[in-house]
């Protein structure tokens, strides 16, 4: 079956670093997305990984290991505005989402 | 502003009502989607339209009826809904291709009484 797992909630401190993990088991794989969703708003695109390795984009980086069915999103120099849900999604001809990780940032 | 607009943003309806959700995209994309987002559940894909043809229907009850009159507009017609259908309904669009990044609207929050 199709399964995407990520932690339900995480808490981190402003200025710190946090890593949000995602593991997946899907019948096919074309790539993996990370989306950010603030409460009451639309999900917005953060990253897309197709090949193994780390992709860095400013304060956010995303890592993929296809052999392990594993990805993580790394957020550096956390800011209060980073408080949001982070959605992991696999492109398996259709886009399959995990339940999302709600990240709380403490001052 | 993501280029995808949904109306209404909030809707309250009784189980015997008929209503419609509307989505419009200004991005020139050729695929549109309806997703359902319930508390503590992953985003659930409901319908996919590619080049105005329905290509995905994810075992959605017939009380939800999609319509895609052209590549910029997508509707979700609702009738005789149940309270468990209360959720956030998200519309998205993409350009078919290898990446297929989704651009979401802000959603229509539906409450069924």
């Amino acid at each position: 079956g199709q399964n995407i797992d990520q932690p339900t909630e995480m808490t981190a401190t402003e200025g710190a670093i946090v890593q949000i993990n995602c593991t997946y088991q899907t019948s096919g794989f074309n790539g993996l997305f990370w989306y950010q969703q603030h409460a009451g708003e639309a999900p917005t695109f953060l990253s897309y990984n197709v090949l193994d390795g780390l992709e860095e984009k400013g304060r956010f980086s995303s890592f993929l290991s296809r052999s392990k069915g594993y990805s993580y999103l790394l957020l550096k120099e956390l800011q209060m505005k980073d408080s949001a849900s982070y959605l992991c999604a696999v492109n398996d001809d259709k886009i399959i989402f995990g339940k999302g990780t709600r990240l709380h940032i403490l001052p | 502003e993501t280029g995808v607009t949904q109306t209404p943003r909030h809707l309250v309806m009784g189980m015997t009502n008929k209503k419609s959700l509307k989505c419009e995209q200004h991005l020139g994309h050729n695929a549109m989607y309806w997703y359902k987002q319930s508390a503590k559940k992953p985003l659930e894909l409901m319908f996919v339209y590619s080049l105005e043809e329905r290509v995905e229907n994810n075992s959605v009850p017939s009380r939800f009826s999609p319509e895609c009159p052209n590549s910029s507009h997508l509707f979700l017609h609702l009738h005789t809904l149940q309270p468990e259908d209360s959720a956030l309904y998200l519309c998205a669009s993409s350009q078919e291709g290898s990446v297929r990044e989704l651009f979401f609207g802000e959603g229509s929050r539906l409450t069924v009484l």
Side-chain angles (χ1 to χ4, degrees):
Chain A
Q2 316 278 55
N3 194 43
I4 299 175
D5 281 318
Q6 49 181 133
T8 305
E9 286 191 83
M10 297 182 72
T11 301
T13 305
E14 192 176 14
I17 299 173
V18 71
Q19 177 175 310
I20 303 174
N21 295 325
C22 172
T23 57
Y24 62 89
Q25 295 164 312
T26 55
S27 53
F29 182 87
N30 297 312
L32 187 142
F33 292 95
W34 284 96
Y35 281 83
Q36 179 190 61
Q37 186 178 22
H38 285 100
E41 297 183 14
T44 54
F45 172 84
L46 289 177
S47 66
Y48 184 63
N49 292 67
V50 177
L51 302 176
D52 286 359
L54 185 69
E55 299 227 356
E56 298 184 68
K57 194 185 293 185
R59 294 189 299 114
F60 292 7
S61 303
S62 56
F63 172 83
L64 176 66
S65 169
R66 294 180 64 156
S67 61
K68 295 181 180 177
Y70 168 69
S71 173
Y72 68 73
L73 180 69
L74 191 72
L75 292 76
K76 301 177 187 176
E77 300 168 19
L78 286 170
Q79 302 175 9
M80 297 304 292
K81 68 178 182 179
D82 297 329
S83 293
S85 288
Y86 291 86
L87 311 177
C88 174
V90 170
N91 182 356
D92 171 20
D93 286 336
K94 56 186 178 183
I95 312 297
I96 306 165
F97 283 84
K99 292 183 182 180
T101 298
R102 189 173 301 175
L103 177 63
H104 304 277
I105 309 296
L106 302 176
Chain B
E1 175 59 52
T2 64
V4 180
T5 304
Q6 289 186 241
T7 55
R9 293 293 309 279
H10 299 273
L11 178 63
V12 179
M13 59 189 288
M15 289 192 286
T16 57
N17 291 158
K18 287 186 182 180
K19 297 285 184 183
S20 295
L21 306 181
K22 179 183 175 183
C23 177
E24 183 174 358
Q25 59 99 358
H26 311 277
L27 301 168
H29 289 161
N30 58 14
M32 296 188 77
Y33 309 74
W34 280 115
Y35 280 88
K36 177 182 178 182
Q37 189 172 39
S38 306
K40 299 182 180 178
K41 283 186 165 183
L43 274 167
E44 299 170 57
L45 179 62
M46 300 175 73
F47 301 104
V48 180
Y49 277 83
S50 178
L51 299 172
E52 299 157 42
E53 283 194 33
R54 191 190 306 182
V55 296
E56 185 80 35
N57 180 346
N58 243 18
S59 303
V60 179
S62 59
R63 56 186 184 267
F64 294 92
S65 173
E67 179 189 359
C68 187
N70 56 61
S71 60
S72 299
H73 293 87
L74 184 65
F75 294 89
L76 188 63
H77 303 299
L78 316 168
H79 64 98
T80 58
L81 294 191
Q82 304 298 311
E84 60 264 28
D85 296 323
S86 298
L88 182 69
Y89 289 85
L90 288 163
C91 173
S93 70
S94 73
Q95 187 64 24
E96 290 291 272
S98 60
V99 178
R100 295 170 69 205
E101 176 188 340
L102 295 171
F103 290 76
F104 285 91
E106 295 197 346
S108 294
R109 172 71 62 185
L110 173 67
T111 302
V112 181
L113 302 175

